[in-house]
Amino acid sequence: MTLESSAIFNLPFITVVLLIIIGMYALMFKRNLIKIVIGLTLIESGVNLFLIALGYRKGCYAPIYTNAPTTAMVFPTPQALTLTSIVIGLAVTALMLSFAVLIYKKYGTINAEKTRRLKG
Amino acid sequence: MFENLVPHLPILIIAIPLFGAFASYLFSKVSDKARDVFAFIVLGVTEFLVLVLGKDIYTNGLRVYTLGATSAELTAPTGYIMPVRIILEVDALSIFMGIITVTVAFIVFIFSLKPMKEYSGTDKYYTLMFLLLVGMLGIEFTGDLFNLFVFLEIASIAGAALVAFFTHRDESAEAAFKYVVICSLGALLVLFAVALFYGQYDALNIAYLANVMKYSLLDKIAFCVLLCAFAMKAGSAPMHMWKPDAYGEAPGPVAAILVTASLVSMYALLRVCFTLYGRGLNTEVIGWIITVLGLLSIFIGVTMALIQNNFGRLIGYTAVAEVGFILLAAGVGFAGFSSTGFGFTALQAGLFHILNDALDLGLLFLVSGAVLHATGKRNLNELSGLARNMKYTCIFFIVGLCAVAGLPPMNGFASKLMIYESVYQFNPVFSIIAILASIFMLAVFVKVFYSVFLGPELKEFSSVKEVPASMLLAMGALAVLIIVIGLCPDIFVNNVINPAARALIDYGIYRGVV
């Protein structure tokens, strides 16, 4: 059995799907605001892992020039994308958590069902 | 005199507000006056540059700017067969959206000069406003999908922080939380689609991707994901619930610019449908799906607006309905997908309605901001008889009301008539639903007009004064634009809308850059 056909090769992609599904579940069915934030972070990790996994090319080296062999190197684009996305994700998470703190101060709870004054 | 400057305008128009965002914070450490003057200059320069670039693009066609290259037009580095650098591509549609965005931002800035003085944190308010502007301009000008994601996130973060500006109100944080969850989920979906493209084609450039697109199953999944993300961010039903919350809780001027932000998502949707995928998809089916989304938004927006009693929320629901009108027209345009016939008219009508929406809903939100500034209230049941003391605001509200409801001689009438005509040839029933929805919308706003501006004079409002001159000037500018476009729609449709619609249909020009 070759590496490509084995389940191990697809493991990163299976993890991606699992992370995104768990994140979506938390986003839709959890009522705790902090858990909603965690759900979104899980989706973000899933997408980041997806990008990183796509950056793998068989027989190529990571784009690090120090002591690099003369064979082909992969394009460093996915790594650059993931770094950007992680930084953005941090900012969004911080903003969401600060809103959660604000909601807790105003309503005295972070249960999404009890913090619903805007409806209709 | 700008020949040397024009090739660099796409990046300058993004960079100057970005500089302004952080420099204005430093200026506010000196004094509020210095910051206001500085922000005015930055926005004035941006507006001027965007108009210069607009003139250039409408006469000479598409303009490309490659970041980090030795010359702006060098899209692929020597020795490479595909573009690896970030490329800004500005065509007639991008600059059309850009002019709307900067103009609305400028007017909103003039409006916020006075009312925002009453609150603390004004320095951050201007920084966030500028960042929101940068995000929107970036989405419009970029030719790179990942770059689009980054600008989408910049706009979302700035927008969410602005929604929560009234932190003394309990509900603001709740609305802002919803807004940021929806926006970042949308942006992550876009990133997921970007990853799907990168995995297949090793590229991120929209024009290059469109050229090599194989319309595989993964591409179709990516299309669905992008459609969901941008429709959600534009506030289309069934994911519209964040919109009335956010618009109702945000300060009036912020809501006015958030309307434009959601229209920018609409632009991204059109760009993906027409330029990235184009005729390779089954345009009939996708067109129908978009049309049905539009009808659903119209129906939900109008019926929910009827029962609201918060001024901002009510306009928020009509904003959902207005986005529905644009989706309806865009869906018919995509189903038709030709440079003649009713499909092209529908596309033109949709783009025209984007312009009119930004102005009409912007004006209504500014009026709601003015009412809030003068009385401190936004509940329709508590407001009454304001026309006695706020004559000009009342007149501007009538202009906005007629424009949104689609009454002549306002601009809303011109674009809605085009929508009815073209949609009627696609499916008469849809057109009838749209006309009925417009009548309902008139009913909604007549109710607001009666309860806020007419009715008995209440004792608590007897000392209410007309809002300051700068706010009147901002609302007046929008009202004048609305009436001018309404009186001579032909000039705008032929000279501005037509090239923008053609840029979508003739996608070969945009794709041919790389």
Side-chain angles (χ1 to χ4, degrees), chain A residues 25-48:
Chain A
Y25 171 80
L27 208 57
M28 283 190 263
F29 297 108
K30 288 291 167 190
R31 288 285 154 256
N32 186 324
L33 293 185
I34 304 290
K35 285 183 184 164
I36 292 177
V37 177
I38 293 174
L40 214 59
T41 343
L42 280 175
I43 299 177
E44 188 205 316
S45 316
V47 177
N48 285 342

PDB file of all heavy atoms in Angstrom, chain A residues 25-48:
ATOM      1  N   TYR A  25     -21.324  22.743  15.232  1.00  0.00           N
ATOM      2  CA  TYR A  25     -22.255  22.242  16.251  1.00  0.00           C
ATOM      3  C   TYR A  25     -22.284  23.196  17.439  1.00  0.00           C
ATOM      4  O   TYR A  25     -23.351  23.608  17.915  1.00  0.00           O
ATOM      5  CB  TYR A  25     -21.837  20.835  16.689  1.00  0.00           C
ATOM      6  CG  TYR A  25     -22.609  20.329  17.876  1.00  0.00           C
ATOM      7  CD1 TYR A  25     -23.887  19.810  17.721  1.00  0.00           C
ATOM      8  CD2 TYR A  25     -22.071  20.389  19.154  1.00  0.00           C
ATOM      9  CE1 TYR A  25     -24.614  19.379  18.805  1.00  0.00           C
ATOM     10  CE2 TYR A  25     -22.788  19.955  20.250  1.00  0.00           C
ATOM     11  CZ  TYR A  25     -24.061  19.445  20.072  1.00  0.00           C
ATOM     12  OH  TYR A  25     -24.784  19.029  21.143  1.00  0.00           O
ATOM     13  N   ALA A  26     -21.086  23.585  17.917  1.00  0.00           N
ATOM     14  CA  ALA A  26     -21.020  24.484  19.073  1.00  0.00           C
ATOM     15  C   ALA A  26     -21.678  25.817  18.744  1.00  0.00           C
ATOM     16  O   ALA A  26     -22.389  26.398  19.566  1.00  0.00           O
ATOM     17  CB  ALA A  26     -19.564  24.698  19.481  1.00  0.00           C
ATOM     18  N   LEU A  27     -21.456  26.281  17.524  1.00  0.00           N
ATOM     19  CA  LEU A  27     -22.001  27.578  17.122  1.00  0.00           C
ATOM     20  C   LEU A  27     -23.526  27.554  17.116  1.00  0.00           C
ATOM     21  O   LEU A  27     -24.178  28.516  17.486  1.00  0.00           O
ATOM     22  CB  LEU A  27     -21.472  27.895  15.715  1.00  0.00           C
ATOM     23  CG  LEU A  27     -21.328  29.347  15.328  1.00  0.00           C
ATOM     24  CD1 LEU A  27     -20.429  30.042  16.303  1.00  0.00           C
ATOM     25  CD2 LEU A  27     -20.756  29.431  13.937  1.00  0.00           C
ATOM     26  N   MET A  28     -24.091  26.419  16.676  1.00  0.00           N
ATOM     27  CA  MET A  28     -25.537  26.388  16.498  1.00  0.00           C
ATOM     28  C   MET A  28     -26.287  25.951  17.744  1.00  0.00           C
ATOM     29  O   MET A  28     -27.371  26.442  18.006  1.00  0.00           O
ATOM     30  CB  MET A  28     -25.887  25.462  15.332  1.00  0.00           C
ATOM     31  CG  MET A  28     -25.630  26.117  14.003  1.00  0.00           C
ATOM     32  SD  MET A  28     -26.303  25.175  12.659  1.00  0.00           S
ATOM     33  CE  MET A  28     -24.912  24.272  12.115  1.00  0.00           C
ATOM     34  N   PHE A  29     -25.720  25.024  18.513  1.00  0.00           N
ATOM     35  CA  PHE A  29     -26.526  24.427  19.576  1.00  0.00           C
ATOM     36  C   PHE A  29     -26.091  24.815  20.978  1.00  0.00           C
ATOM     37  O   PHE A  29     -26.807  24.546  21.934  1.00  0.00           O
ATOM     38  CB  PHE A  29     -26.535  22.904  19.441  1.00  0.00           C
ATOM     39  CG  PHE A  29     -27.173  22.455  18.159  1.00  0.00           C
ATOM     40  CD1 PHE A  29     -26.405  21.941  17.134  1.00  0.00           C
ATOM     41  CD2 PHE A  29     -28.536  22.594  17.977  1.00  0.00           C
ATOM     42  CE1 PHE A  29     -26.994  21.557  15.947  1.00  0.00           C
ATOM     43  CE2 PHE A  29     -29.129  22.219  16.801  1.00  0.00           C
ATOM     44  CZ  PHE A  29     -28.351  21.694  15.772  1.00  0.00           C
ATOM     45  N   LYS A  30     -24.922  25.423  21.150  1.00  0.00           N
ATOM     46  CA  LYS A  30     -24.497  25.789  22.499  1.00  0.00           C
ATOM     47  C   LYS A  30     -25.063  27.149  22.863  1.00  0.00           C
ATOM     48  O   LYS A  30     -25.161  28.040  22.018  1.00  0.00           O
ATOM     49  CB  LYS A  30     -22.959  25.814  22.576  1.00  0.00           C
ATOM     50  CG  LYS A  30     -22.346  24.423  22.539  1.00  0.00           C
ATOM     51  CD  LYS A  30     -22.659  23.667  23.807  1.00  0.00           C
ATOM     52  CE  LYS A  30     -22.338  22.192  23.634  1.00  0.00           C
ATOM     53  NZ  LYS A  30     -22.836  21.371  24.722  1.00  0.00           N
ATOM     54  N   ARG A  31     -25.440  27.292  24.122  1.00  0.00           N
ATOM     55  CA  ARG A  31     -26.068  28.540  24.553  1.00  0.00           C
ATOM     56  C   ARG A  31     -25.110  29.444  25.333  1.00  0.00           C
ATOM     57  O   ARG A  31     -25.428  30.588  25.601  1.00  0.00           O
ATOM     58  CB  ARG A  31     -27.298  28.210  25.404  1.00  0.00           C
ATOM     59  CG  ARG A  31     -28.431  27.674  24.585  1.00  0.00           C
ATOM     60  CD  ARG A  31     -29.095  28.790  23.800  1.00  0.00           C
ATOM     61  NE  ARG A  31     -29.739  28.311  22.595  1.00  0.00           N
ATOM     62  CZ  ARG A  31     -29.250  28.471  21.368  1.00  0.00           C
ATOM     63  NH1 ARG A  31     -28.118  29.106  21.187  1.00  0.00           N
ATOM     64  NH2 ARG A  31     -29.890  28.041  20.318  1.00  0.00           N
ATOM     65  N   ASN A  32     -23.958  28.877  25.721  1.00  0.00           N
ATOM     66  CA  ASN A  32     -22.981  29.664  26.470  1.00  0.00           C
ATOM     67  C   ASN A  32     -22.147  30.496  25.490  1.00  0.00           C
ATOM     68  O   ASN A  32     -21.598  29.956  24.535  1.00  0.00           O
ATOM     69  CB  ASN A  32     -22.090  28.691  27.248  1.00  0.00           C
ATOM     70  CG  ASN A  32     -21.150  29.402  28.166  1.00  0.00           C
ATOM     71  OD1 ASN A  32     -20.652  30.468  27.847  1.00  0.00           O
ATOM     72  ND2 ASN A  32     -20.904  28.825  29.326  1.00  0.00           N
ATOM     73  N   LEU A  33     -22.080  31.799  25.712  1.00  0.00           N
ATOM     74  CA  LEU A  33     -21.397  32.666  24.739  1.00  0.00           C
ATOM     75  C   LEU A  33     -19.935  32.277  24.567  1.00  0.00           C
ATOM     76  O   LEU A  33     -19.392  32.337  23.468  1.00  0.00           O
ATOM     77  CB  LEU A  33     -21.496  34.129  25.162  1.00  0.00           C
ATOM     78  CG  LEU A  33     -22.883  34.757  25.131  1.00  0.00           C
ATOM     79  CD1 LEU A  33     -22.797  36.230  25.447  1.00  0.00           C
ATOM     80  CD2 LEU A  33     -23.532  34.571  23.783  1.00  0.00           C
ATOM     81  N   ILE A  34     -19.279  31.877  25.690  1.00  0.00           N
ATOM     82  CA  ILE A  34     -17.872  31.487  25.599  1.00  0.00           C
ATOM     83  C   ILE A  34     -17.731  30.260  24.708  1.00  0.00           C
ATOM     84  O   ILE A  34     -16.793  30.152  23.913  1.00  0.00           O
ATOM     85  CB  ILE A  34     -17.312  31.192  27.008  1.00  0.00           C
ATOM     86  CG1 ILE A  34     -17.508  32.383  27.923  1.00  0.00           C
ATOM     87  CG2 ILE A  34     -15.843  30.813  26.940  1.00  0.00           C
ATOM     88  CD1 ILE A  34     -16.670  33.580  27.614  1.00  0.00           C
ATOM     89  N   LYS A  35     -18.723  29.341  24.808  1.00  0.00           N
ATOM     90  CA  LYS A  35     -18.654  28.126  23.984  1.00  0.00           C
ATOM     91  C   LYS A  35     -18.863  28.471  22.515  1.00  0.00           C
ATOM     92  O   LYS A  35     -18.302  27.814  21.633  1.00  0.00           O
ATOM     93  CB  LYS A  35     -19.684  27.107  24.453  1.00  0.00           C
ATOM     94  CG  LYS A  35     -19.256  26.443  25.751  1.00  0.00           C
ATOM     95  CD  LYS A  35     -20.220  25.376  26.182  1.00  0.00           C
ATOM     96  CE  LYS A  35     -19.772  24.834  27.540  1.00  0.00           C
ATOM     97  NZ  LYS A  35     -20.822  24.075  28.201  1.00  0.00           N
ATOM     98  N   ILE A  36     -19.673  29.489  22.247  1.00  0.00           N
ATOM     99  CA  ILE A  36     -19.850  29.928  20.859  1.00  0.00           C
ATOM    100  C   ILE A  36     -18.521  30.444  20.310  1.00  0.00           C
ATOM    101  O   ILE A  36     -18.124  30.135  19.183  1.00  0.00           O
ATOM    102  CB  ILE A  36     -20.954  31.002  20.778  1.00  0.00           C
ATOM    103  CG1 ILE A  36     -22.305  30.373  21.104  1.00  0.00           C
ATOM    104  CG2 ILE A  36     -20.984  31.645  19.411  1.00  0.00           C
ATOM    105  CD1 ILE A  36     -23.444  31.337  21.136  1.00  0.00           C
ATOM    106  N   VAL A  37     -17.820  31.210  21.165  1.00  0.00           N
ATOM    107  CA  VAL A  37     -16.508  31.721  20.743  1.00  0.00           C
ATOM    108  C   VAL A  37     -15.556  30.555  20.479  1.00  0.00           C
ATOM    109  O   VAL A  37     -14.834  30.530  19.469  1.00  0.00           O
ATOM    110  CB  VAL A  37     -15.924  32.668  21.812  1.00  0.00           C
ATOM    111  CG1 VAL A  37     -14.542  33.132  21.417  1.00  0.00           C
ATOM    112  CG2 VAL A  37     -16.824  33.861  22.005  1.00  0.00           C
ATOM    113  N   ILE A  38     -15.589  29.545  21.373  1.00  0.00           N
ATOM    114  CA  ILE A  38     -14.722  28.377  21.182  1.00  0.00           C
ATOM    115  C   ILE A  38     -15.073  27.684  19.869  1.00  0.00           C
ATOM    116  O   ILE A  38     -14.190  27.268  19.115  1.00  0.00           O
ATOM    117  CB  ILE A  38     -14.861  27.399  22.374  1.00  0.00           C
ATOM    118  CG1 ILE A  38     -14.295  28.050  23.635  1.00  0.00           C
ATOM    119  CG2 ILE A  38     -14.121  26.097  22.098  1.00  0.00           C
ATOM    120  CD1 ILE A  38     -14.520  27.239  24.879  1.00  0.00           C
ATOM    121  N   GLY A  39     -16.384  27.578  19.576  1.00  0.00           N
ATOM    122  CA  GLY A  39     -16.808  26.940  18.341  1.00  0.00           C
ATOM    123  C   GLY A  39     -16.224  27.633  17.126  1.00  0.00           C
ATOM    124  O   GLY A  39     -15.713  26.985  16.203  1.00  0.00           O
ATOM    125  N   LEU A  40     -16.260  28.967  17.160  1.00  0.00           N
ATOM    126  CA  LEU A  40     -15.725  29.723  16.026  1.00  0.00           C
ATOM    127  C   LEU A  40     -14.217  29.517  15.901  1.00  0.00           C
ATOM    128  O   LEU A  40     -13.682  29.395  14.789  1.00  0.00           O
ATOM    129  CB  LEU A  40     -16.054  31.204  16.219  1.00  0.00           C
ATOM    130  CG  LEU A  40     -16.323  31.989  14.954  1.00  0.00           C
ATOM    131  CD1 LEU A  40     -17.474  31.381  14.205  1.00  0.00           C
ATOM    132  CD2 LEU A  40     -16.630  33.413  15.290  1.00  0.00           C
ATOM    133  N   THR A  41     -13.531  29.464  17.062  1.00  0.00           N
ATOM    134  CA  THR A  41     -12.083  29.230  17.023  1.00  0.00           C
ATOM    135  C   THR A  41     -11.768  27.859  16.457  1.00  0.00           C
ATOM    136  O   THR A  41     -10.762  27.690  15.767  1.00  0.00           O
ATOM    137  CB  THR A  41     -11.488  29.339  18.443  1.00  0.00           C
ATOM    138  OG1 THR A  41     -12.400  30.006  19.264  1.00  0.00           O
ATOM    139  CG2 THR A  41     -10.194  30.084  18.435  1.00  0.00           C
ATOM    140  N   LEU A  42     -12.660  26.869  16.759  1.00  0.00           N
ATOM    141  CA  LEU A  42     -12.434  25.523  16.216  1.00  0.00           C
ATOM    142  C   LEU A  42     -12.554  25.526  14.693  1.00  0.00           C
ATOM    143  O   LEU A  42     -11.730  24.912  14.004  1.00  0.00           O
ATOM    144  CB  LEU A  42     -13.444  24.541  16.813  1.00  0.00           C
ATOM    145  CG  LEU A  42     -13.127  24.028  18.208  1.00  0.00           C
ATOM    146  CD1 LEU A  42     -14.273  23.179  18.716  1.00  0.00           C
ATOM    147  CD2 LEU A  42     -11.844  23.218  18.185  1.00  0.00           C
ATOM    148  N   ILE A  43     -13.574  26.223  14.193  1.00  0.00           N
ATOM    149  CA  ILE A  43     -13.724  26.303  12.733  1.00  0.00           C
ATOM    150  C   ILE A  43     -12.474  26.945  12.129  1.00  0.00           C
ATOM    151  O   ILE A  43     -11.941  26.481  11.117  1.00  0.00           O
ATOM    152  CB  ILE A  43     -14.964  27.130  12.357  1.00  0.00           C
ATOM    153  CG1 ILE A  43     -16.220  26.491  12.914  1.00  0.00           C
ATOM    154  CG2 ILE A  43     -15.085  27.265  10.853  1.00  0.00           C
ATOM    155  CD1 ILE A  43     -17.464  27.282  12.638  1.00  0.00           C
ATOM    156  N   GLU A  44     -12.011  27.999  12.798  1.00  0.00           N
ATOM    157  CA  GLU A  44     -10.826  28.698  12.294  1.00  0.00           C
ATOM    158  C   GLU A  44      -9.616  27.768  12.275  1.00  0.00           C
ATOM    159  O   GLU A  44      -8.878  27.716  11.281  1.00  0.00           O
ATOM    160  CB  GLU A  44     -10.578  29.904  13.191  1.00  0.00           C
ATOM    161  CG  GLU A  44      -9.518  30.827  12.696  1.00  0.00           C
ATOM    162  CD  GLU A  44      -8.936  31.590  13.855  1.00  0.00           C
ATOM    163  OE1 GLU A  44      -9.710  32.066  14.698  1.00  0.00           O
ATOM    164  OE2 GLU A  44      -7.702  31.672  13.921  1.00  0.00           O
ATOM    165  N   SER A  45      -9.439  26.979  13.356  1.00  0.00           N
ATOM    166  CA  SER A  45      -8.318  26.034  13.383  1.00  0.00           C
ATOM    167  C   SER A  45      -8.449  25.019  12.269  1.00  0.00           C
ATOM    168  O   SER A  45      -7.459  24.647  11.632  1.00  0.00           O
ATOM    169  CB  SER A  45      -8.262  25.298  14.719  1.00  0.00           C
ATOM    170  OG  SER A  45      -8.452  26.180  15.757  1.00  0.00           O
ATOM    171  N   GLY A  46      -9.680  24.569  12.028  1.00  0.00           N
ATOM    172  CA  GLY A  46      -9.913  23.606  10.960  1.00  0.00           C
ATOM    173  C   GLY A  46      -9.486  24.159   9.618  1.00  0.00           C
ATOM    174  O   GLY A  46      -8.776  23.494   8.849  1.00  0.00           O
ATOM    175  N   VAL A  47      -9.903  25.404   9.335  1.00  0.00           N
ATOM    176  CA  VAL A  47      -9.550  26.012   8.045  1.00  0.00           C
ATOM    177  C   VAL A  47      -8.037  26.208   7.948  1.00  0.00           C
ATOM    178  O   VAL A  47      -7.430  25.951   6.895  1.00  0.00           O
ATOM    179  CB  VAL A  47     -10.322  27.336   7.861  1.00  0.00           C
ATOM    180  CG1 VAL A  47      -9.915  28.013   6.573  1.00  0.00           C
ATOM    181  CG2 VAL A  47     -11.806  27.096   7.849  1.00  0.00           C
ATOM    182  N   ASN A  48      -7.424  26.642   9.054  1.00  0.00           N
ATOM    183  CA  ASN A  48      -5.963  26.831   9.048  1.00  0.00           C
ATOM    184  C   ASN A  48      -5.240  25.518   8.779  1.00  0.00           C
ATOM    185  O   ASN A  48      -4.288  25.473   7.995  1.00  0.00           O
ATOM    186  CB  ASN A  48      -5.497  27.405  10.388  1.00  0.00           C
ATOM    187  CG  ASN A  48      -5.828  28.868  10.504  1.00  0.00           C
ATOM    188  OD1 ASN A  48      -6.086  29.518   9.497  1.00  0.00           O
ATOM    189  ND2 ASN A  48      -5.842  29.377  11.709  1.00  0.00           N
TER     190      ASN A  48
END
